[in-house]
Amino acid sequence: MDDKELILLVDDDIGNLKRAQNILGSEYRISATTSGKMALSVISKVTPQLVLLDVNMPEMDGFETFEAIKALDGGSSIPVVFLTGDSDADTETRCFEAGATDFVAKPFVPQVLISRVKRILENKHYQNNLEEMVSSQVDTITRIQNEVITGIANLIESRDGSTGLHVKNTQNYVRILTKELRRRGMYPDILDKEYENNTIKASVLHDIGKIKIPDAILLKPGRLDDDEFTIMKTHAALGGEIIDKIIANVEDEKYVEIARQIARSHHERWDGNGYPDRIAGEDIPLCARIMAIADVFDALYQERCYKPPIRPISKVLGILEENSGTQFDPNLLEVFLELKDEIEEVSEG
């Protein structure tokens, strides 16, 4: 397969096309068209590395063709060099104001045309490589941040004898539910792709406030008394404060807000009898309402230091259903219950 770079020539003058092909054909693959419409047809099928575009053409001139190219999917990344016999300053100014990468006068001077093309393509390679390097570095930093955040969450969970499965499981349940809600088009004003990703990512920090709860309470094998439970409940508000202190300056603002809402509000109840703020219904952030279902399901289904596991899964789902409209958002819970097979697969995994 020819690995030469593809240049698209667009000029209604056949002679100009032949001259440009003779100048550039030994180093590049050339596709030649005589109209703007033909050029757009070519670009819709294959993406050239560079377009040499005549300004003065009938029916669809160079500027109209240029705008149409930029409107194509991926077209804005294709460098365009205008070709024209009009060497006046107004024409050159108009070319650059339109957004052209360069301007070459006709008739072509071979060395000028070759050097311009080489320079533009070299710059494009450099820019592409730079973007790839930046993207790779961003991906690495994001991965490290995610691993650190998950590691912190697992350390907190390990304090109460957990192996970190609660963090992993609840994140999976949040992922299953959130993706299904978005697939169904529910909460379209809130639940876009970014909100979905942030909710899944932030779910691991829902119990981060437990880091400030004394071991005597966190590890107590059995029911907490009233005073102990009062202290335990502070982990929700403390979690929101910790989020602000440890990640507010290193993470995206929207992610931080969702992480804060999950940590603070995942123990709020639909009927307003939760904590720490006793908010009710849709005043509870959507991400926290999602987290509440995932958290309680896993807490019931898995063994904890204060209780044996509840099995089978149908019994756990039955308990959740009994609390629909009181503890849990009934609309979210209905979807969660319909995802029984996926939930069971994760819980047994």
Side-chain angles (χ1 to χ4, degrees), residues 71-275:
L72 293 173
D73 186 23
S76 60
S77 64
I78 303 173
V80 175
V81 175
F82 276 120
L83 310 174
T84 182
D86 297 332
S87 57
D88 60 278
D90 289 342
T91 300
E92 184 172 349
T93 299
R94 188 181 176 195
C95 289
F96 285 118
E97 286 180 345
T101 302
D102 209 339
F103 169 97
V104 175
K106 293 187 293 186
F108 305 126
V109 176
Q111 289 305 316
V112 172
L113 183 59
I114 290 174
S115 64
R116 294 281 180 87
V117 167
K118 282 185 176 181
R119 177 181 58 80
I120 291 168
L121 291 176
E122 286 173 358
N123 287 343
K124 187 171 187 292
H125 287 314
Y126 175 78
Q127 180 179 347
N128 289 343
N129 290 335
L130 185 61
E131 289 174 353
E132 288 177 5
M133 289 173 59
V134 171
S135 177
S136 177
Q137 290 177 343
V138 170
D139 288 344
T140 298
I141 292 171
T142 300
R143 177 178 55 79
I144 292 172
Q145 287 178 335
N146 290 342
E147 290 177 356
V148 169
I149 288 171
T150 301
I152 291 171
N154 284 332
L155 282 173
I156 294 165
E157 288 298 328
S158 69
R159 288 187 62 217
D160 64 6
S162 172
T163 62
L165 285 177
H166 180 65
V167 169
K168 178 182 177 182
N169 289 344
T170 53
Q171 186 176 52
N172 282 330
Y173 302 143
V174 167
R175 178 181 290 108
I176 291 169
L177 178 54
T178 307
K179 285 185 175 295
E180 180 63 16
L181 293 172
R182 187 161 175 266
R183 188 190 70 80
R184 296 188 185 193
M186 298 175 68
Y187 310 99
D189 295 338
I190 302 173
L191 187 51
D192 57 14
K193 184 64 176 176
E194 183 179 24
Y195 192 95
E196 173 193 320
N197 290 337
N198 284 336
T199 298
I200 295 167
K201 179 181 173 183
S203 65
V204 300
L205 294 173
H206 67 281
D207 274 341
I208 193 170
K210 285 184 177 179
I211 198 168
K212 291 194 173 185
I213 302 301
D215 285 348
I217 294 175
L218 197 63
L219 302 176
K220 182 176 179 179
R223 291 183 63 86
L224 302 177
D225 62 33
D226 290 344
D227 290 339
E228 291 168 336
F229 188 53
T230 297
I231 294 173
M232 175 63 86
K233 289 193 296 183
T234 63
H235 83 273
L238 290 170
E241 296 172 5
I242 292 170
I243 295 294
D244 286 330
K245 290 179 180 178
I246 69 170
I247 67 170
N249 294 324
V250 297
E251 282 283 0
D252 175 75
E253 183 178 345
K254 291 182 179 178
Y255 166 75
V256 172
E257 178 60 21
I258 288 176
R260 182 190 301 113
Q261 290 174 349
I262 286 176
R264 184 176 185 90
S265 301
H266 70 285
H267 284 294
E268 300 290 355
R269 292 171 52 105
W270 186 255
D271 61 10
N273 291 318
Y275 62 87

Side-chain angles (χ1 to χ4, degrees), residues 316-329:
V316 179
L317 294 177
I319 294 172
L320 296 184
E321 189 170 16
E322 290 173 2
N323 288 276
S324 177
T326 53
Q327 184 170 357
F328 306 113
D329 180 333

